[in-house]
Amino acid sequence: MIEQIRNIKSTEELTALHSSIFGKNGSMTVRLKDMKNLDNDARVLLNAEVADLREAFKVRQTQLEELSVLSGLKAHKLDATAKFDTARNFDTGKLHPLSQALAEISAILADMGYEMRTGPEIENDWHNFTALNVPPHHPARDMHDTFFMESGNLLRTHTSPVQIRSMEKDGVPIKIFVPGATYRRDMDATHSPMFHQFEGLNIDKNITLADLIGDIKEFVTRFFGREFNMRIRPSYFPFTEPSIEPDIEWQPGKWLEIGGAGMVHPNVLRNVGVDPNEYQGFAFGFGLDRMAMLKYGLNDLREFFKGDVRWLKQNGF
């Protein structure tokens, strides 16, 4: 497999192979899900194999990107002696779809009573995992595919650390939303190593699951400009209990999952010094990039980050 990766000639082929191995239903993903049934020696071997494959993908991707840049430079030579045409009309700039989506989302949530909070993108283990009821060796950590640093810090895998930081600083009651960049080792048409999330947190003395579902319905209706049939499915997240996943009927008979949510787990409240017998609340999280793709009719997440002026001219605001 390593040799196959080294011989790939294009980033498209590399992405396709990566998805077949590490994608949602990839061969390695299936093996990793079964890791709990392996003995210790087999786990060590499987982890080593995963590390070797990821390193091979990383090296080959870097090589292909360098070749692409060099090829582009050769094909686009500039004539430094050409005279500048001062009479030429210039196009005005356009607002990136993600900027537009963030502006709309922020306005809606602010109008619903949520205050915006932000936090660092380089996080520590406590705020990114442990305080959110994901202790060391918890299987949920495997789902995040984290970028770790030599210092032991990491690039945050979700925006939820800001929930912890905000409650540590300001206590409760609290009603906030948190937009921002997050990072996980993944790449295909619907996944990027860097992507954006936004989430809401509402903690008080009389918050219920009905309040959560009501706020999700209100937000979705206002963001997309129309009402949807919605269904609520039970799910599992370490930091919420009970946990749910809301789906909307995007087209007749076509349901789309739009995010995850639930009532904040009592352990999370205890970790920030809040008594769960006195306070409770909910949290919800959505992919900002995916919401923008749905609303604006875009189909490839990677285009958001390429910086292609032609694409922005066609899709910008």
Side-chain angles (χ1 to χ4, degrees):
M1 184 62 70
I2 300 292
E3 193 62 29
Q4 182 181 356
I5 295 171
R6 290 172 178 167
N7 292 328
I8 282 181
K9 304 298 183 184
S10 70
T11 54
E12 289 76 13
E13 292 179 37
L14 188 68
T15 299
L17 181 60
H18 184 278
S19 296
S20 71
I21 297 174
F22 290 109
K24 186 175 183 180
N25 298 309
S27 57
M28 186 57 73
T29 303
V30 173
R31 293 174 63 188
L32 288 171
K33 289 180 180 178
D34 192 49
M35 182 179 281
K36 63 180 179 296
N37 298 320
L38 303 178
D39 58 34
N40 188 61
D41 290 342
R43 291 182 182 182
V44 171
L45 290 173
L46 182 56
N47 281 327
E49 184 180 350
V50 169
D52 289 343
L53 284 172
R54 292 198 185 282
E55 182 62 22
F57 273 112
K58 179 180 177 181
V59 170
R60 191 55 184 156
Q61 182 180 6
T62 300
Q63 292 172 341
L64 291 172
E65 289 174 350
E66 289 177 351
L67 289 172
S68 177
V69 170
L70 291 174
S71 177
L73 290 174
K74 290 179 180 178
H76 297 86
K77 293 182 179 179
L78 298 177
D79 181 3
T81 65
K83 292 183 178 181
F84 182 71
D85 184 4
T86 56
R88 186 173 58 182
N89 292 323
F90 290 93
D91 291 335
T92 56
K94 293 201 173 186
L95 191 62
H96 194 283
L98 287 182
S99 299
Q100 175 71 15
L102 177 59
E104 294 183 27
I105 289 168
S106 299
I108 293 169
L109 291 176
D111 194 50
M112 293 171 62
Y114 290 84
E115 296 182 10
M116 180 188 288
R117 299 290 174 85
T118 59
E121 295 178 19
I122 297 177
E123 265 297 358
N124 55 51
D125 185 277
W126 168 258
H127 290 97
N128 196 84
F129 287 124
T130 306
L132 288 161
N133 201 36
V134 189
H137 311 300
H138 193 289
R141 292 193 181 218
D142 295 336
M143 300 165 58
H144 286 242
D145 214 1
T146 309
F147 289 100
F148 285 98
M149 303 177 180
E150 292 183 0
S151 64
N153 289 334
L154 51 94
L155 294 179
R156 67 182 183 188
T157 60
H158 46 188
T159 50
S160 299
V162 182
Q163 293 185 21
I164 301 299
R165 290 183 177 276
S166 297
M167 286 191 286
E168 286 177 336
K169 178 182 178 183
D170 300 326
V172 293
I174 191 170
K175 188 175 183 181
I176 60 173
F177 76 98
V178 184
T182 55
Y183 304 85
R184 298 183 192 179
R185 292 174 64 94
D186 208 349
M187 59 173 187
D188 56 40
T190 57
H191 297 86
S192 170
M194 183 193 79
F195 57 101
H196 298 84
Q197 290 183 338
F198 69 96
E199 58 185 82
L201 175 72
N202 189 1
I203 305 292
D204 211 327
K205 291 187 175 181
N206 298 299
I207 303 296
T208 69
L209 191 65
D211 297 312
L212 167 60
I213 295 172
D215 274 14
I216 291 175
K217 286 184 176 180
E218 174 73 8
F219 168 76
V220 170
T221 299
R222 293 176 66 169
F223 180 70
F224 290 110
R226 61 187 176 101
E227 293 187 358
F228 296 92
N229 292 324
M230 179 177 288
R231 65 184 183 189
I232 303 298
R233 293 179 290 105
S235 186
Y236 168 76
F237 305 106
F239 26 80
T240 52
E241 179 60 37
S243 301
I244 63 172
E245 289 184 345
D247 299 336
I248 57 174
E249 191 173 18
W250 186 252
Q251 296 173 357
K254 181 180 179 181
W255 293 88
L256 289 178
E257 174 194 334
I258 57 172
M263 300 300 290
V264 176
H265 198 290
N267 288 345
V268 175
L269 296 176
R270 292 189 187 100
N271 286 336
V272 293
V274 175
D275 183 357
N277 295 316
E278 184 177 2
Y279 288 93
Q280 64 183 25
F282 61 75
F284 59 84
F286 301 130
L288 190 153
D289 309 315
R290 185 154 189 255
M291 297 291 277
M293 291 173 70
L294 286 171
K295 181 166 184 176
Y296 308 138
L298 307 173
N299 57 19
D300 192 332
L301 179 65
R302 293 166 295 190
E303 296 294 338
F304 282 130
F305 310 113
K306 286 184 176 179
D308 190 329
V309 175
R310 295 166 299 179
W311 179 86
L312 185 59
K313 184 179 293 185
Q314 180 178 351
N315 296 288
F317 291 83

